[in-house]
Amino acid sequence: MNFNEPVEQLLLLASMQLQSKNIGTVIPANFNELLNSVKKAGIFPLRDYLNTEVAVNLYPFDILSASVLTLALQEYAQNERSLFSFIENDDLHGINNFNKKGTEYYNLSKVYDYLTFNFFSYLSTKHNPHYQQWASMRGALERAEIQFTEPDDYFSAIKTIGLLNIFSNKGSPLNDEFLLKYLKHGLSTNNPGKS
């Protein structure tokens, strides 16, 4: 039997664990702007949980990437401890190997890289309930790599849109204004590529 703690509770516990590790010591000046754009967009996957204090304590995550990662780990790892293992371990693409050069947040693009690196076998099978969405993302990333000389920004946009397509509130408007603001805070010259 699969037992799922409420995502809100997991985020609260994760924020306390991150603070005890002192990973995110300096909150970026644009923190409130990013949080407000997430609120305004109405795409946040959790009901009534855009808590500023928790969001601050989750840094270097942004509140959206922390929520999506938690939901994804519940779905794909099927283990509540996976989020806390993620925070403690030095996995490739994990939070402890996050390099703030080029981006101030461990954003949705970074979440995509972590998930594909650690769960590729499952994400690529038809047993995955989101198989089609992941296949579409991989196809879009391959096309971007072929079409653009410097595709890193396109990779970030594809990964962000793809994860929001799976995990944001269904029927939420994913508009250009939000995407441009979110990507502005997350575009990186060090994007590891299409992973």
Side-chain angles (χ1 to χ4, degrees):
M1 182 171 157
N2 195 17
F3 177 72
N4 282 334
E5 285 288 329
V7 174
E8 296 86 352
Q9 181 67 28
L10 292 173
L11 288 175
L12 178 62
L13 294 171
S15 72
M16 290 189 274
Q17 187 173 4
L18 283 165
Q19 287 307 298
S20 72
K21 289 177 63 78
N22 205 22
I23 293 175
T25 53
V26 179
I27 303 299
N30 62 22
F31 175 84
N32 285 326
E33 177 188 351
L34 182 58
L35 183 63
N36 289 333
S37 69
V38 170
K39 286 180 184 179
K40 184 179 175 187
I43 58 164
F44 189 65
L46 309 176
R47 286 207 165 113
D48 304 321
Y49 198 71
L50 277 169
N51 180 313
T52 302
E53 183 181 343
V54 172
V56 167
N57 290 336
L58 285 168
Y59 183 76
F61 284 105
D62 65 65
I63 189 76
L64 196 53
S65 64
S67 302
V68 167
L69 177 67
T70 304
L71 290 166
L73 290 174
Q74 279 189 326
E75 182 74 33
Y76 306 135
Q78 300 176 350
N79 183 336
E80 303 308 336
R81 291 174 296 214
S82 297
L83 177 62
F84 304 102
S85 296
F86 171 85
I87 293 169
E88 289 299 321
N89 292 336
D90 290 328
D91 294 337
L92 184 63
H93 301 296
I95 197 82
N96 291 310
N97 284 314
F98 172 56
N99 181 351
K100 293 180 188 176
K101 188 175 182 182
T103 182
E104 295 177 296
Y105 297 95
Y106 190 93
N107 55 40
L108 287 171
S109 181
K110 306 287 185 198
V111 170
Y112 175 96
D113 294 338
Y114 176 79
L115 292 172
T116 55
F117 183 80
N118 288 284
F119 300 101
F120 183 80
S121 295
Y122 178 71
L123 297 175
S124 302
T125 68
K126 295 195 178 186
H127 298 291
N128 171 10
H130 307 121
Y131 167 78
Q132 191 58 51
Q133 290 99 323
W134 284 95
S136 294
M137 283 187 276
R138 282 191 303 276
L141 290 167
E142 289 170 3
R143 287 189 298 280
E145 185 173 46
I146 292 167
Q147 285 187 300
F148 303 105
T149 308
E150 295 183 22
D152 290 347
D153 292 349
Y154 297 98
F155 289 162
S156 292
I158 291 165
K159 293 170 184 180
T160 298
I161 292 167
L163 286 177
L164 289 175
N165 182 41
I166 296 171
F167 293 105
S168 68
N169 283 327
K170 301 306 175 215
S172 298
L174 184 55
N175 62 42
D176 292 345
E177 179 185 358
F178 167 75
L179 274 175
L180 290 173
K181 282 183 182 175
Y182 187 82
L183 291 171
K184 177 179 83 171
H185 299 297
L187 293 179
S188 170
T189 56
N190 299 333
N191 193 318
K194 66 184 177 89
S195 298

